[in-house]
Amino acid sequence: MHESKIQTLNEVIIQEQSAFPYAKGELSRLLMHIGLAAKIVNSKINKAGLDTSILGSNEKQNIQGETQQKLDDFANTIFIKALQASGIVCGVASEEDDEIVVFNDNLSLDGSYIICIDPLDGSSNIDVNVSVGSIFSIYRKISSFGRKVTNEDFLQPGNKQVAAGYVIYGSSTMLVYTTGYGTTAFTYEPAIGEFCLSTKFMTTPESGRIYSINEGNYIKFPIGIKKYIKYCQENDPISNRPYTLRYIGSLVADFHRNLLKGGIYIYPKTAVSCFGKLRLLYECNPIAFLAEQAGGKATDGYGNRILDIKPESIHQRVPFVVGSAKMVLKVEEFMQEFGDGYNDEH
Ligand code: P6P
């Protein structure tokens, strides 16, 4: 029999599901709907350079106080429509919506899952053709079956995620996800309009040379972070400095590069924002799940595992240190030794 080398997202999901005989196929169906939404968003982003009407901002601010880009709005609409069409999602928490989006149709009211999404992360990069991403995090609904989803359903710790992933719209478009059994990567093949399996059981190096942080905020960083940055810059045995700074202002792209090559991404608290910038539900938790499944670590810099943090609100921010395990531990050593105060002598 001719063995086809290409395995599509749907085929791999169905294969994975067959490993769980009691699975009703709902999660599989949900991941397929996410894949469809990603294809639609990918198509729009790829045309953005030609259809400039989709570029730029729509003059609205989201709850984060960030100017919403037109493509943020588009991506949000596409993902929410696809998730509602799945008939197994009862609600969504999105970076682009102040409150949770509750699905009231009969099919969705019986849905077993809730989703947290950042529909288009790093979207300010779109107009300059830098990679952006979509991030998703999937939980089981915990409130009464058949009743409307509640805020409490979304305030579960990240260790309750049943699946998580991201799409990176870069030189190629990739979908990377985990259901708790390793991190798996797919590459979009436009010729057939499918995400095709590229890597199963991805592993990230336990250490690396890349550190990703916005050094423009240096004076606002805690002392421990300032000391770690200097350690990276000065740790230079005979000018063979092992570290290099790579930061493009797009979490998904910075994380994806570090996942493959080894490295660390840091968005700490600052003197301006005492919880940092990144949101726990739809940025830190899904990325942390993927990192741990690939052998990496994700904490808040103070030894607290991101996936164990109990959310208090749907747009809660947390300090975020994620990537190669040894590098995360090194940051925590500096934070432990020098503390997280602010001192302009360093
Ligand atoms: P700054 C994008 O808005 C984002 O949430 C991440 O994708 C990115 O890493 C970070 O913020 C960039 O923030 O403050 O360095 O511009």
Side-chain angles (χ1 to χ4, degrees):
M1 184 181 76
H2 177 68
E3 281 291 308
S4 158
K5 291 227 183 316
I6 291 178
Q7 279 191 286
T8 66
L9 174 68
N10 294 0
E11 286 167 337
V12 171
I13 290 172
I14 289 166
Q15 268 172 16
E16 264 195 3
Q17 176 199 307
S18 61
F20 308 101
Y22 305 108
K24 290 182 287 182
E26 287 181 338
L27 182 58
S28 307
R29 219 164 82 210
L30 175 49
L31 287 168
M32 291 179 202
H33 277 82
I34 290 173
L36 173 62
K39 290 179 195 176
I40 298 169
V41 171
N42 177 62
S43 168
K44 200 74 172 180
I45 288 175
N46 287 349
K47 292 195 187 89
L50 301 169
D51 170 13
T52 52
S53 67
I54 193 68
L55 291 176
S57 75
N58 61 11
E59 311 309 323
K60 283 193 289 186
Q61 282 220 329
N62 61 23
I63 191 171
Q64 327 288 340
E66 296 163 350
T67 304
Q68 193 178 59
Q69 302 298 306
K70 291 176 191 169
L71 272 170
D72 283 321
D73 209 12
F74 173 80
N76 195 42
T77 303
I78 292 300
F79 273 99
I80 287 178
K81 276 183 176 171
L83 294 170
Q84 182 157 21
S86 73
I88 47 179
V89 175
C90 44
V92 177
S94 169
E95 177 182 10
E96 299 305 329
D97 289 292
D98 300 359
E99 308 298 331
I100 59 172
V101 179
V102 177
F103 296 153
N104 291 315
D105 59 286
N106 292 335
L107 205 53
S108 303
L109 274 174
D110 292 343
S112 310
Y113 296 95
I114 60 136
I115 316 283
C116 305
I117 55 168
D118 183 352
L120 205 55
D121 179 72
S123 54
S124 56
N125 282 317
I126 284 189
D127 296 10
V128 293
N129 206 18
V130 167
S131 300
V132 292
S134 301
I135 312 172
F136 60 90
S137 169
I138 304 174
Y139 294 83
R140 287 193 185 290
K141 181 186 181 189
I142 51 176
S143 60
S144 312
F145 181 75
R147 305 284 297 273
K148 274 187 187 177
V149 70
T150 68
N151 240 42
E152 278 315 300
D153 285 303
F154 293 88
L155 301 181
Q156 303 178 54
N159 57 40
K160 296 293 186 189
Q161 291 175 97
V162 292
Y166 59 78
V167 183
I168 176 169
Y169 309 99
S171 49
S172 69
T173 294
M174 294 187 73
L175 187 150
V176 179
Y177 82 77
T178 182
T179 57
Y181 297 89
T183 297
T184 308
F186 298 81
T187 301
Y188 185 61
E189 172 47 83
I192 59 173
E194 292 287 356
F195 281 103
C196 302
L197 179 65
S198 30
T199 313
K200 274 197 151 185
F201 302 113
M202 291 174 82
T203 54
T204 192
E206 61 175 2
S207 196
R209 322 177 40 248
I210 300 169
Y211 70 105
S212 304
I213 189 169
N214 184 343
E215 290 197 2
N217 295 325
Y218 181 84
I219 55 168
K220 294 176 277 190
F221 286 153
I223 303 169
I225 296 295
K226 287 180 178 175
K227 289 290 190 182
Y228 178 73
I229 291 173
K230 287 302 167 202
Y231 164 81
C232 292
Q233 291 172 342
E234 292 161 3
N235 190 327
D236 179 357
I238 316 165
S239 76
N240 177 23
R241 190 157 50 84
Y243 295 95
T244 187
L245 173 63
R246 289 286 182 274
Y247 188 80
I248 67 168
S250 185
L251 168 64
V252 169
D254 281 320
F255 175 74
H256 185 75
R257 178 199 54 243
N258 295 355
L259 183 71
L260 297 177
K261 296 191 167 191
I264 190 167
Y265 172 98
I266 307 170
Y267 209 107
K269 74 170 193 174
T270 68
V272 173
S273 168
C274 55
F275 294 106
K277 174 181 182 182
L278 299 191
R279 279 61 51 139
L280 177 60
L281 261 60
Y282 39 78
E283 290 174 316
C284 301
N285 272 335
I287 295 296
F289 191 12
L290 290 158
E292 288 197 1
Q293 285 290 310
K297 270 179 86 69
T299 74
D300 60 0
Y302 301 87
N304 301 307
R305 182 181 178 231
I306 289 292
L307 295 181
D308 292 338
I309 296 174
K310 170 71 174 71
E312 302 302 326
S313 64
I314 63 171
H315 297 296
Q316 176 177 340
R317 298 170 193 266
V318 290
F320 194 41
V321 183
V322 62
S324 296
K326 284 187 176 176
M327 298 177 82
V328 172
L329 292 173
K330 179 59 82 176
V331 171
E332 293 192 340
E333 279 174 29
F334 278 91
M335 289 295 280
Q336 186 76 33
E337 182 178 350
F338 297 99
D340 71 345
Y342 303 98
N343 179 327
D344 56 8
E345 286 168 19
H346 296 269

